[in-house]
Amino acid sequence: MRHFVAAGERRVGRSEGTFSVLGLGSCVVIALYDGSSQVGGMAHVLLPDPSYNESPARLWRYATSAIPALIEETIAAGARRGRLSARLVGGACMFRDLLPRDQPNIGERNVAAARLTLAQAGIRVIGEDVGGEFGRSVFFRLSDGRVRVQAHGREHVEI
Amino acid sequence: MNESQQLRDLELDALKEVANVGAGHAATALSQLTNRRVMIDVPEVAVCPIEEAANAVGNGNSVVAAVLMHVLGDLTGRSLLLFEKECAMRLAQMLLDREESASRVFGELEQSSIKETANILTGAYLNGLSDLLGLMLIPSVPSLAVDLCGAILSTTYLNFGHDRSYVIILDTRFKFEPGESSMEGHFVLLPDPASLRVILKAARVK
């Protein structure tokens, strides 16, 4: 069973099925997994943190608020904090030549915020496919926690 | 900003008219460039939260050639021109005066011709708006990406949005006629929220 996780949403499950995002651009997908309990959770965030706009109430929109909440939800579903590991995908940047050169683009900021928030929570990042100038489609298998990433014009990778 | 999230019918109609005039000019330019009939749909105007914006134009899972340009001058925002990938290939072949099956690779020459086309079409679109609204509008240089439509849209909104909680989208679909369903694309104008008032004022919507 494949479930799609839309922007600003998350999903938590156990042992079977796939969580998927098609056409991921500068957004970042965080996939948490505990191999012993086979509990996994995936969040699809759009922005680094609530300072980026006027709707701080949207918890799942931002890396800094979505990640702690996703950790709690996976634990509630049976994962153990100490066994959780993370994989990160996304943070691409298209149209680079139209962006100001003196500041990081939103994709880079999303990835940096996700890494920092995971580090603060003590969760190890064991795989990443981030950055670049191309979009990605993401398939997170709950049977083993692996994440397959497809990109237009590139061989797929598995992390 | 809250006031502009809910547009009144009158305002929506004015924005549709603005998009219609812009896209009409662009479609005429495209028709003259390719010597084919180009039809446009009734424009769609949407104000939606960024979560929904990736699916607001076209089919998020199709691969498109997208050309983005900044719009500067009396109103600011971005113009995004989307071609279904197949359409972009055929268009490049038409413009380069090649056999239809001569090349399947979207190489430098093809990319350059699509960017140049986007320059002309966006220029026409903005000229239409200038004439209608009496505003001075200047396009930036174009930037091209070939990717999944959803990835392109979300990246555009998030990287360039000044207020990143919602976006204003003026979308007009165009298609070549006669032509297969893949011979289509979208003229999209993404005015910054502050510029929405400028457009409505120039269109004399109170």
Side-chain angles (χ1 to χ4, degrees), chain B residues 76-96:
Chain B
T76 60
R78 276 139 302 282
S79 134
L80 186 65
L81 204 60
L82 300 174
F83 298 100
E84 291 291 329
K85 194 185 176 201
E86 182 63 29
C87 180
M89 296 286 300
R90 297 267 299 276
L91 192 56
Q93 284 157 357
M94 273 184 231
L95 296 164
L96 297 167

Side-chain angles (χ1 to χ4, degrees), chain A residues 74-98:
Chain A
T74 54
I75 290 170
R80 285 251 293 275
R81 179 181 286 268
R83 291 195 306 238
L84 279 175
S85 58
R87 292 173 172 88
L88 294 180
V89 184
C93 178
M94 280 81 101
F95 308 118
R96 192 177 289 274
D97 33 351
L98 292 183

Side-chain angles (χ1 to χ4, degrees), chain B residues 154-166:
Chain B
S154 60
T155 304
T156 301
Y157 305 140
L158 294 173
N159 255 318
F160 300 100
H162 288 290
D163 176 311
R164 295 189 179 94
S165 47
Y166 71 99

Side-chain angles (χ1 to χ4, degrees), chain A residues 26 53 61 97-98 106 135, chain B residues 51 70 143 147 155 159 163-164:
Chain A
S26 60
N53 68 36
R61 186 181 270 179
D97 33 351
L98 292 183
I106 205 78
Chain B
E51 280 84 356
H70 287 301
S143 179
D147 217 310
T155 304
N159 255 318
D163 176 311
R164 295 189 179 94

Side-chain angles (χ1 to χ4, degrees), chain B residues 3-197:
Chain B
E3 51 157 352
S4 52
Q5 289 181 30
Q6 296 288 329
L7 292 173
R8 291 177 293 126
D9 287 349
L10 207 60
E11 295 172 324
L12 277 174
D13 285 348
L15 291 173
K16 278 184 189 170
E17 180 56 22
V18 164
N20 194 41
V21 168
H25 277 69
T28 303
L30 184 58
S31 175
Q32 287 171 353
L33 274 177
T34 56
N35 208 17
R36 301 194 185 203
R37 248 163 86 87
V38 178
M39 304 293 287
I40 58 171
D41 286 355
V42 175
E44 289 183 25
V45 174
V47 179
C48 60
I50 47 175
E51 280 84 356
E52 290 159 26
N55 297 312
V57 178
N59 172 6
N61 300 326
S62 65
V63 175
V64 297
V67 183
L68 184 72
M69 295 162 82
H70 287 301
V71 177
L72 311 160
D74 290 337
L75 79 85
T76 60
R78 276 139 302 282
S79 134
L80 186 65
L81 204 60
L82 300 174
F83 298 100
E84 291 291 329
K85 194 185 176 201
E86 182 63 29
C87 180
M89 296 286 300
R90 297 267 299 276
L91 192 56
Q93 284 157 357
M94 273 184 231
L95 296 164
L96 297 167
D97 210 10
R98 283 198 196 140
E99 291 293 317
E100 293 224 332
S101 57
S103 160
R104 302 310 297 164
V105 185
F106 207 60
E108 207 155 303
L109 200 58
E110 287 80 5
Q111 293 190 20
S112 164
S113 68
I114 290 298
K115 279 204 260 189
E116 193 51 43
T117 306
N119 246 337
I120 294 167
L121 302 186
T122 302
Y125 191 111
L126 296 181
N127 269 336
L129 260 59
S130 279
D131 290 348
L132 179 73
L133 302 172
L135 299 175
M136 187 189 64
L137 304 171
I138 309 157
S140 76
V141 293
S143 179
L144 172 81
V146 180
D147 217 310
L148 288 169
C149 188
I152 282 176
L153 293 172
S154 60
T155 304
T156 301
Y157 305 140
L158 294 173
N159 255 318
F160 300 100
H162 288 290
D163 176 311
R164 295 189 179 94
S165 47
Y166 71 99
V167 284
I168 304 154
I169 304 166
L170 278 60
D171 168 27
T172 315
R173 192 170 70 113
F174 65 87
K175 53 181 184 277
F176 285 94
E177 212 151 81
E180 297 108 68
S181 60
S182 61
M183 287 301 283
E184 64 163 57
H186 296 258
F187 301 118
V188 186
L189 185 69
L190 306 163
D192 291 333
S195 291
L196 194 57
R197 293 291 135 201

Side-chain angles (χ1 to χ4, degrees), chain A residues 27-126:
Chain A
C27 298
V28 166
V29 157
I30 301 108
L32 297 180
Y33 195 69
D34 168 5
S36 303
S37 62
Q38 290 185 301
V39 170
M42 185 160 110
H44 179 178
V45 303
L46 294 100
L47 294 168
D49 63 75
S51 71
Y52 282 79
N53 68 36
E54 300 165 345
S55 307
R58 287 186 181 251
L59 179 71
W60 301 101
R61 186 181 270 179
Y62 313 100
T64 55
S65 51
I67 289 170
L70 185 68
I71 292 169
E72 293 312 315
E73 290 200 357
T74 54
I75 290 170
R80 285 251 293 275
R81 179 181 286 268
R83 291 195 306 238
L84 279 175
S85 58
R87 292 173 172 88
L88 294 180
V89 184
C93 178
M94 280 81 101
F95 308 118
R96 192 177 289 274
D97 33 351
L98 292 183
L99 285 164
R101 285 195 182 85
D102 53 348
Q103 43 182 299
N105 65 67
I106 205 78
E108 290 166 338
R109 291 185 216 189
N110 278 337
V111 172
R115 284 182 185 144
L116 182 65
T117 311
L118 286 165
Q120 285 167 347
I123 308 271
R124 206 156 54 97
V125 178
I126 59 169

